[in-house]
Amino acid sequence: LHLLVLTGTCHATSWNDISRLNQEDVGQVISVTTETQVIQAIRDATTNKQKIAISGTKHSQGGHIVYPGAILLDMTQFNRIIDFSPKNKTIRVQSGATWADIQAAINPQNLSIKVMQSSNIFTVGGSLSANAHGRDPNYGPIIETVNGLKLALASGEIVNASRTENSDLFYAVIGGYGSIAIILEAEIALTDNIIFSKSVVAVDYRDYPTLLSNGRNMNPLHFGRCAIAKGSTLLRECFSIDYTAHSSIDRAEQGTALPAPIPIDLQNEKNISLNAFFFNRSRHSNTGKKLRWYLQKTFIDSPEKTTLITRNNAMRPPIKFLEYHGKKDTDILQEYFIPHHQFVGFVDKLRTVVETHDVNLLSVTLRHVKGNNDAVLSYAPNDAIAVVLYINIGLDTAAIEKAKTWTRELVDITHEHKGRYYLAYQRFPSTIQFSTIYPNVKKFHEIKQRHDKNYIFYNRFYEAYIAQSVKRETK
């Protein structure tokens, strides 16, 4: 990219997301640092009849951040902390700030984030656009923790949005993948940075929903992990990893969790090369997968070991070791939200799909997501178990078509089990599957027309699913 420092504009021929499956030629890339640049980009797009696509750290992987010939706004440098109130436990940031930026700011005050993804590398704007969820079973998606937004509309107007002000925008922008308005700032509610006691319990997948239901209200953080190697343990042998509040001796009788007595430094990722070595061995080797599982349950998540950790450090797990740039293959994510009582049946059919199509699973993790139907495109309107699949697929056309085939099977299975799939990933599901599983698509489109009648904010995701679904309905 050729950088023009004074204007913050990059002239670029292409842009892609982290999966490397959605490369598009764009008109230009603007590295946003000011609101003025955003408003000017909207004016230019309106005058020149261009589209605007919005990009953060590029982890939305279904064409959400690209469109041919578009003005692409790279928001990663638009990352200032605007206001931080330890007393009110709130923080207001620009949308390009990452969760790591927020953790660095709030950790000295012994405060922590309520909801974010399991890693802290993502931008706030990207997380809000995907309405991300986290590991705390006491909260639903991130929309629950957002007090308000500052938005730039297609008209060039800057407005505030919350549950009481411009609420239609609030509920559509969060989980709207950059197709309604540009998120400039967000005010987010915080919580105490308490000390956790981490424990691990081995569990058969058939017992997991009961175990989760019995313990989720007591555990501030939780996730599950299941075996991925072919054989008798595949998606049968699992672990429940729980972080329970560690109370001080003098308040233990009341069971009151305390923040850390003094701020504990944030931990940075260690052993990146070593972890990457073992993970790479598992990408194309069932023996490597078995070895990883053995190391995981013996050394990392051992049921015999209990450790203490702060909430902030529990919410910044290792991720750099996953970076991968294979010439012939790539790693992708998928996620399915399944009601508790449907979980066992879903996993049985998931296992069949994995075995039948030889799906190259790299990990399967589980979350409890508390039901929330606030966002127009809500993915978990009722309590659900999120089944997160980390998968390796080939970059060639045949491999991608094969992935589409088994993905559509999984989406059908999800629908049969009264669940929904996450929209943050590849455009593999069909338009009919999308509109069937997300019945509010018409409402979302109406909000789009109300605030962006010329379709300035546009991307491949909107084109493939929202626009096509509405077009099909009107025929």
Side-chain angles (χ1 to χ4, degrees), residues 62 427 430-431 434 458-469 472:
R427 298 192 309 280
S430 69
T431 305
F434 166 77
Y458 213 69
N459 51 51
R460 285 297 198 191
F461 165 79
Y462 190 96
E463 178 184 61
Y465 291 116
I466 311 294
Q468 288 301 314
S469 294
R472 181 176 282 105

Side-chain angles (χ1 to χ4, degrees), residues 25 56 58 77 141 188 237 240 278 283 297 301 337 409:
D25 291 341
K58 307 181 181 180
Q77 299 304 309
I188 299 162
E237 184 178 274
S240 173
F278 284 111
R283 273 196 171 86
K297 65 183 184 180
D301 291 326
F337 301 90
E409 288 184 24

Side-chain angles (χ1 to χ4, degrees), residues 132-205:
H133 67 90
R135 292 178 172 181
D136 192 329
N138 299 293
Y139 299 103
I142 198 171
I143 193 171
E144 291 188 1
T145 70
V146 181
N147 294 334
L149 303 172
K150 184 179 183 181
L151 306 173
L153 304 184
S155 63
E157 183 184 4
I158 293 178
V159 301
N160 294 319
S162 67
R163 292 170 182 80
T164 58
E165 183 180 10
N166 296 311
S167 59
D168 63 332
L169 284 168
F170 183 81
Y171 295 125
V173 167
I174 299 178
Y177 296 96
S179 55
I180 300 290
I182 299 172
I183 301 173
L184 297 174
E185 296 176 11
E187 182 181 282
I188 299 162
L190 305 172
T191 189
D192 291 326
N193 183 34
I194 65 175
I195 297 176
F196 289 148
S197 175
K198 176 189 174 184
S199 60
V200 182
V201 177
V203 59
D204 184 279
Y205 79 104

